[in-house]
Amino acid sequence: MSEPTAEDNGKSTSQQNFCIPGKEAPKDPWWSSLKIFIVALSFAYFSKTLCGTYMKSTITQIERRFDLSSSVVGLIDGSFEMGNLLFLAMVSHFGARLHRPRLIGMGCFLMAIGSAVTGLPHFFMGRYKYDTVVQGSLNKTFSISPCQYPMVSNDYSNVHIQPSNNNGTDCVKDPGSNMWIYVLLGNALRGIGETPVTPLGISYIDDFAKAENSAFYISCLQTIMLLGPMFGFLLGSMCAKLYVDIGFVSVDSVNITPQDARWVGAWWLGFFVSSAVLVLAGVPFWFLPRSLPKQGEEGNEYSNVDQDNKEQSVLQNTHSVNLADIAKGFLPSLKKLLCTPAYFLLLCGTVLKFNSFIGLLTFKAKYMEQQFGQSASRANFLIGVLILPVVAVGIFLGGLLMKRYKLSVVAGAQLSFITSFTAFLLLLFHFGTKCDNVPVAGLTVSYNGTPAILHDERSLMSQCNQDCSCSTSEWDPVCSDSGITYVSPCLAGCTASTGQGKNTVFHNCSCVLTPSPVEGSRSVSLGQCPHGPGCTRSFTSYMAVSVLSSFINSLGTTPGYMIIIRCITPELKSLALGIQTLVMRTLGGIPAPVYFGALIDSTCLKWGIKNCGGRGACRIYDSNMYRVIFLSLTTSLSGCSYFFIIAVIVLLRKQFRKEEVIALQQTASNQIETELQTPEMCHPDRSKTDTGPREKTESTNTEC
C-alpha cells in the first residue's frame, strides 16, 4: 500500500519549493508598523544622545555652580554608566519576553525624569553669588577704595558686598552645597532609563524585518544617532551664553563676562529642554504592538497568530529552564569567549582606547577654555559644528569602503589600525599648539614681572599691598595695561575707582608696573587679561588638527566594529558584544572621568573658597602643566592600545590563513565526492545511463 505523497495533501515538498519559484512577496507599505517603530526609535536615539552630550557640555558650568573639583564632576558624569550597568543584564534578559515597545517608552520617560531631576537643584539653591568688589546698582559718583578695607570685614569677598563669616561658629552653610548629589542621582536615573532602548530596539527590528533590510535599518539608526551629539553641544553652547539666573536677576547687574572663570551659564535650562524632547520620544511606543508579522508577510492573516504562538512557546520553554541550566551554558560560553586570543586582545585594546576617548570627550571643551582662553559657549559650538559632523561623515564613508571593496576581517582590521594610528600621530602635534600662561601676579609671575609658577598663597602678598589688609582667598581679577592680571583690586593696591558695573576702572594701584609715572597708567579694569594674538593662531592650528584627526580616525570605526563580530563563532556573537559593552563601561566609562579630573585638579594654581571654608572650584590652572598632563594621558592610553591591535592583526592573519587552507582542502574533497556520487535532486526518474557523471552533475545543478 503506497503512502500518500505531499502532492496528494496539497503541500509541496522541499525539492519543489527549491526548484519551483514561489510567489512574489508583497511590497512593504510605507505606513507599516515596523517603519513607524524605526522612525520612533530613531528619534529616541537622537533624544538620548542629545541629553548625554549636553551633560558633557555643562561640565564646567556644574563645577563652578556647585563649587566642585574636576574629579567630583567626573564622578557625576560617570554616574550615568553606573545606573546603566545596574539594570543592563536584567533588562536585556527579561525585556525580550515582555512588551518591548512599551518598555522602551518607559525608558524614555525615565530618562526624561532623570534629566529634569538633574536641572531641578537650580530652583532650590538661591541666587548665584561670586567674589566681587563691584555692585552693579552703584552709581558713577560712588568711589570704591579696596585697599582701605579692614581685614575683619572682608566686605568685597562676596557679591553685593555682603559680609562672609568664614571663621567662628556663626557660619551658615550654603543650602546648595550638597545639591550636586541630586545631579548625580538624576544622571544615574537617566542611565537606568537608557537601558532598554538599544538592546530591545535592535532585537525588535531584527525579529520582524527582512534579513536583507535589518542591517540597513540599523545603519540608519546609527547615522541619525550621530545628529544627537551635534545638537547637544549646540544646545550647550546656547545655554552657556545665558547667565545662570536669567529671568530672576537683571543682566545689567552682572559684572562678569562668559570668558570669566566665575561665569556660570544657564546649565539647568538644557536639561529641561532635553527632558521635554525625551517625553515626546517616548509617546509613540505606547501605541505600537507587542509583535508584528514578519516583513513581507503582512498579507497573511495568520502571521500575527503564528508569531504570538511562537512567543508563547518560547515563553513556556524559558520557564522550564532553571538558573542552574542557564549557568551551565553561560559559564562555558564565557570561558570559551575569553579564551579566544583575538577577542581578548581586542577587548584589552578597546578598553584602553575607550578610556582615552571618554577622557578626551569629557574634558575637551574645558581644555579649550583653559588652554586657549575660549568661553564655554564657543568651545561647545566649535565641537558641535566642526568636529562631530566630520565624524559622522567618516563613519559613513568607512562603512561604504567595507561594502564597496568587500573587505575581509584582516583587511578591515588593517584599515582600522592605519586610520587610527594616523589620527594618533596627528594628535601629537597638539603638544606644539599651545598658549603660554596668562601673567597673574603672585601665581604665574612675580610682582616685578618675572615669570615663575608660585603655589604658595603667601606669594600673593607683596610690599606694594602689605598695608591693604587684603584677603588671599578671593578671586576678583583685574587687568592692567601692561598685560599682567592681579587676583583682586585690593591685591593690586588700588585706592580709588570710577565708573560702575562692568565698566568700573580702579586707579592709584601701587602694585601695577609702569614704565613711567604717567597719570592714569596705574589703573586696572575688571576682568582677566586676554591671551595674546599668537594664541589665536595656535587655536586655529589646534582646531584644524582636531578636525582632520577626528575624520581620519572615524574612517576606521565601522571596520573596527566588524572585527569583534567576525573574529568569533556566530553562537558567541551576542555574548561577545554584551561583554564588550559591560567591560568598556565598567573599566572605561566610570573611572576615566574621575582620574582624568583628579590629574587636572593637580594643575590648579588658585582654588575658590566656600562660605564656611573648604576648597571650591578651581579659578586658574597652570596651562602648560595642564596641556602636558591632559595630552600625555590621552596619547599614552591610545598608544598602548596599538600593541594589542597589532597582535590581533597577526592572530587574524594566521587564523584566516588556516581557514583558507582548510576551505581549499574541503572544496577539493567535495569535488572528488561529487564526481564519484551523482545525487538526483530534481529529476529522480532520470536514467543512470544517459549521461556521464560529470555531465549529469552539471545538468542537475543548472536545472535546480
Side-chain angles (χ1 to χ4, degrees):
M1 184 176 179
S2 61
E3 296 182 358
T5 62
E7 288 82 3
D8 298 332
N9 295 332
K11 298 181 181 179
S12 60
T13 62
S14 60
Q15 291 183 0
Q16 289 172 332
N17 287 333
F18 184 70
C19 299
I20 301 174
K23 295 181 180 180
E24 183 179 356
K27 293 185 178 180
D28 302 331
W30 67 269
W31 45 265
S32 66
S33 297
L34 179 62
K35 292 182 179 178
I36 294 174
F37 176 83
I38 293 170
V39 172
L41 188 63
S42 299
F43 188 55
Y45 266 54
F46 169 83
S47 303
K48 74 183 184 71
T49 53
L50 180 146
C51 188
T53 49
Y54 179 76
M55 180 70 193
K56 299 285 187 185
S57 71
T58 58
I59 288 294
T60 305
Q61 314 299 317
I62 293 174
E63 178 181 328
R64 295 172 182 172
R65 183 64 183 96
F66 295 92
D67 267 332
L68 303 174
S69 62
S70 296
S71 57
V72 176
V73 174
L75 178 65
I76 293 174
D77 184 67
S79 63
F80 173 84
E81 307 290 353
M82 299 177 194
N84 194 277
L85 289 174
L86 284 176
F87 292 89
L88 181 62
M90 185 174 67
V91 170
S92 300
H93 182 67
F94 294 104
R97 311 176 190 181
L98 303 174
H99 199 300
R100 284 177 285 184
R102 289 184 182 176
L103 277 178
I104 296 174
M106 290 176 60
C108 290
F109 289 156
L110 200 58
M111 284 192 288
I113 295 172
S115 183
V117 169
T118 302
L120 204 59
H122 167 75
F123 298 98
F124 300 100
M125 295 182 63
R127 302 293 169 257
Y128 174 55
K129 298 178 181 180
Y130 53 88
D131 295 341
T132 183
V133 70
V134 178
Q135 185 175 353
S137 61
L138 294 179
N139 58 40
K140 296 181 181 179
T141 60
F142 190 92
S143 179
I144 302 174
S145 181
C147 187
Q148 295 179 0
Y149 281 1
M151 186 67 172
V152 292
S153 66
N154 278 339
D155 288 347
Y156 52 87
S157 64
N158 215 339
V159 69
H160 303 316
I161 320 183
Q162 296 175 349
S164 69
N165 300 317
N166 291 340
N167 299 318
T169 59
D170 296 333
C171 174
V172 179
K173 198 171 184 179
D174 187 355
S177 59
N178 293 323
M179 283 289 180
W180 63 270
I181 296 176
Y182 291 97
V183 180
L184 184 144
L185 293 177
N187 202 36
L189 192 62
R190 189 171 58 84
I192 296 172
E194 195 264 351
T195 305
V197 177
T198 298
L200 301 188
I202 296 297
S203 64
Y204 193 86
I205 293 174
D206 194 55
D207 285 347
F208 304 121
K210 290 181 180 178
E212 61 268 22
N213 292 340
S214 180
F216 172 73
Y217 292 149
I218 293 173
S219 65
C220 289
L221 283 175
Q222 302 294 334
T223 303
I224 294 173
M225 184 177 66
L226 291 172
L227 297 176
M230 184 174 68
F231 282 92
F233 276 106
L234 291 179
L235 179 62
S237 173
M238 184 193 72
C239 293
K241 284 182 180 179
L242 307 175
Y243 186 63
V244 59
D245 292 321
I246 186 172
F248 300 97
V249 298
S250 173
V251 179
D252 295 333
S253 65
V254 180
N255 304 317
I256 54 178
T257 63
Q259 284 77 20
D260 198 293
R262 296 164 293 173
W263 175 271
V264 176
W267 62 275
W268 53 273
L269 184 60
F271 287 110
F272 288 104
V273 172
S274 57
S275 178
V277 173
L278 285 165
V279 169
L280 293 176
V283 171
F285 294 102
W286 293 90
F287 302 97
L288 290 167
R290 176 175 179 173
S291 62
L292 295 172
K294 189 74 174 179
Q295 199 174 32
E297 300 176 0
E298 287 86 350
N300 187 356
E301 61 181 347
Y302 299 106
S303 58
N304 281 329
V305 178
D306 294 340
Q307 186 64 35
D308 290 337
N309 291 337
K310 289 179 182 178
E311 289 187 359
Q312 291 295 331
S313 63
V314 170
L315 193 60
Q316 291 174 1
N317 292 334
T318 53
H319 282 311
S320 63
V321 179
N322 55 32
L323 292 176
D325 295 334
I326 295 175
K328 287 179 182 178
F330 174 75
L331 294 178
S333 298
L334 181 61
K335 182 179 178 181
K336 182 179 179 182
L337 182 65
L338 295 179
C339 290
T340 304
Y343 176 80
F344 183 76
L345 291 173
L346 186 61
L347 189 63
C348 293
T350 304
V351 168
L352 291 173
K353 193 76 174 175
F354 192 67
N355 272 264
S356 176
F357 170 75
I358 289 296
L360 183 63
L361 180 64
T362 304
F363 294 105
K364 185 177 182 66
K366 182 172 182 176
Y367 177 79
M368 293 164 64
E369 295 173 43
Q370 298 298 329
Q371 183 66 33
F372 301 102
Q374 302 296 313
S375 65
S377 174
R378 180 170 169 79
N380 290 325
F381 177 80
L382 292 175
I383 293 174
V385 170
L386 295 181
I387 296 179
L388 292 179
V390 301
V391 170
V393 173
I395 292 175
F396 174 77
L397 291 179
L400 199 63
L401 286 173
M402 287 283 291
K403 181 180 179 181
R404 173 68 178 82
Y405 296 102
K406 299 179 180 179
L407 300 179
S408 64
V409 181
V410 178
Q414 291 173 339
L415 175 62
S416 179
F417 171 76
I418 291 171
T419 55
S420 181
F421 191 70
T422 303
F424 170 76
L425 294 178
L426 285 173
L427 286 177
L428 296 179
F429 286 102
H430 282 169
F431 283 95
T433 53
K434 62 178 181 177
C435 293
D436 294 328
N437 282 312
V438 174
V440 180
L443 292 177
T444 60
V445 296
S446 62
Y447 275 88
N448 60 11
T450 304
I453 301 298
L454 307 168
H455 295 276
D456 191 355
E457 278 199 358
R458 289 177 295 182
S459 61
L460 294 173
M461 303 301 299
S462 179
Q463 291 183 353
C464 60
N465 57 26
Q466 62 181 357
D467 296 330
C468 294
S469 300
C470 302
S471 170
T472 59
S473 63
E474 65 181 15
W475 176 260
D476 187 16
V478 290
C479 178
S480 67
D481 294 336
S482 61
I484 296 179
T485 299
Y486 296 87
V487 172
S488 69
C490 180
L491 290 173
C494 303
T495 58
S497 70
T498 57
Q500 70 171 12
K502 298 177 183 178
N503 300 318
T504 302
V505 178
F506 296 92
H507 305 288
N508 303 326
C509 304
S510 58
C511 293
V512 174
L513 298 176
T514 56
S516 59
V518 181
E519 184 179 356
S521 60
R522 289 184 176 269
S523 301
V524 293
S525 56
L526 282 179
Q528 187 173 317
C529 294
H531 289 275
C535 188
T536 304
R537 292 190 293 270
S538 296
F539 181 64
T540 303
S541 302
Y542 172 83
M543 288 305 302
V545 172
S546 294
V547 170
L548 183 60
S549 63
S550 298
F551 173 73
I552 295 175
N553 186 60
S554 61
L555 287 173
T557 301
T558 302
Y561 186 77
M562 297 305 296
I563 299 172
I564 204 163
I565 297 177
R566 295 181 181 176
C567 73
I568 54 177
T569 55
E571 63 271 14
L572 296 177
K573 190 181 299 182
S574 298
L575 180 62
L577 293 174
I579 294 298
Q580 182 198 28
T581 303
L582 179 68
V583 172
M584 285 173 59
R585 290 186 169 181
T586 304
L587 301 181
I590 296 175
V594 177
Y595 67 75
F596 264 83
L599 289 173
I600 289 172
D601 287 338
S602 67
T603 66
C604 184
L605 295 176
K606 181 73 172 68
W607 291 96
I609 304 298
K610 297 180 181 180
N611 284 348
C612 296
R615 196 171 71 175
C618 184
R619 300 305 186 190
I620 185 172
Y621 294 87
D622 179 359
S623 61
N624 289 328
M625 189 58 65
Y626 191 136
R627 184 188 75 259
V628 171
I629 288 180
F630 183 69
L631 296 180
S632 297
L633 190 56
T634 54
T635 54
S636 60
L637 288 170
S638 295
C640 292
S641 68
Y642 295 121
F643 293 103
F644 294 98
I645 296 175
I646 292 172
V648 169
I649 294 175
V650 173
L651 286 175
L652 289 177
R653 280 182 174 178
K654 292 181 179 179
Q655 176 182 338
F656 281 90
R657 193 172 297 148
K658 290 179 181 179
E659 291 181 359
E660 288 177 0
V661 173
I662 295 173
L664 289 174
Q665 293 175 351
Q666 187 67 31
T667 302
S669 177
N670 291 338
Q671 288 178 351
I672 294 173
E673 291 180 1
T674 303
E675 292 175 357
L676 296 176
Q677 300 175 0
T678 55
E680 300 176 359
M681 290 180 60
C682 298
H683 302 281
D685 56 342
R686 177 173 292 188
S687 174
K688 296 183 179 180
T689 59
D690 56 352
T691 57
R694 182 179 298 276
E695 295 174 354
K696 190 171 182 179
T697 302
E698 293 175 356
S699 175
T700 302
N701 292 336
T702 303
E703 293 179 23
C704 290

